Amino acid sequence: MIVATIRRIARLLEAASLALGALCLLYMVCVVGLNVLARIVFDATGTALNLMIPGAIEQVSYLLGIVALAGLTASLSHGMIAVDFLVARLPQRGQALVARFWFLVLLALALVLCWLFYEDMLATFARGEESQDLRIPMFLIYGLATLQSLALAVVALREMLISQGDHGEIA
């Protein structure tokens, strides 16, 4: 029953992470693409017409971390990609134990990231820190990273509980 609940929650978090990652990636591509075109116009007009997006580098750099965490969370549903000849030679039970061990390590990493981002979120909220160019409250960025790390932890927990040692490149 607990595993079934974790599975349901993990599926929802994977779908949300996939949607968030896709939206952030689409936004990043649009910002970079428009800024490249705006730079061409800027150079062609001898710096007379500046259509570049303010804070574009800042936007893309903050979103890149979110995209990475969201992508990692969404990609775990088919197991980890493994390129090794040693584990593949183990019996199925041995492969499952190795896979579960690595998901345990990933769970620990995700929980540490969650804790660190949470601490940064509280600290930046208390200090009222904002991003350099756009004045975005930094606690929002750290809060989103905290939520993505928590989603990664839940999905890693599910995989640790149910993994049979199958690899992403075989599935």
Side-chain angles (χ1 to χ4, degrees), residues 137-156:
M138 290 300 293
F139 78 90
L140 293 176
I141 295 165
Y142 286 117
L144 190 54
T146 301
L147 292 175
Q148 272 307 131
S149 299
L150 184 60
L152 177 60
V154 170
V155 173

Side-chain angles (χ1 to χ4, degrees), residues 147-171:
L147 292 175
Q148 272 307 131
S149 299
L150 184 60
L152 177 60
V154 170
V155 173
L157 174 64
R158 181 207 53 206
E159 291 299 316
M160 185 189 74
L161 294 173
I162 69 168
S163 180
Q164 296 301 314
D166 49 344
H167 300 296
E169 74 272 12
I170 298 172

Side-chain angles (χ1 to χ4, degrees), residues 16-144:
S17 292
L18 185 61
L20 177 65
L23 285 173
C24 289
L25 196 57
L26 179 65
Y27 181 78
M28 288 170 57
V29 167
C30 290
V31 165
V32 169
L34 289 173
N35 243 24
V36 167
L37 294 175
R39 183 64 187 206
I40 292 169
V41 170
F42 181 74
D43 290 341
T45 61
T47 71
L49 186 58
N50 184 1
L51 300 174
M52 287 185 274
I53 299 169
I57 294 172
E58 184 178 80
Q59 294 175 45
V60 170
S61 64
Y62 287 132
L63 287 177
L64 188 59
I66 300 303
V67 168
L69 284 171
L72 183 57
T73 302
S75 70
L76 286 183
S77 64
H78 299 294
M80 287 191 208
I81 294 183
V83 180
D84 59 316
F85 60 92
L86 185 61
V87 175
R89 288 177 168 67
L90 291 175
Q92 187 66 30
R93 180 138 171 84
Q95 290 180 20
L97 287 174
V98 169
R100 288 178 182 188
F101 170 75
W102 286 115
F103 282 118
L104 175 65
V105 170
L106 186 59
L107 171 63
L109 173 69
L111 290 174
V112 167
L113 285 175
C114 188
W115 175 62
L116 291 173
F117 283 133
Y118 179 74
E119 291 291 320
D120 282 343
M121 180 187 70
L122 292 179
T124 55
F125 180 76
R127 291 190 300 257
E129 287 184 27
E130 296 176 331
S131 65
Q132 183 176 351
D133 294 332
L134 298 176
R135 303 287 182 219
I136 300 168
M138 290 300 293
F139 78 90
L140 293 176
I141 295 165
Y142 286 117
L144 190 54

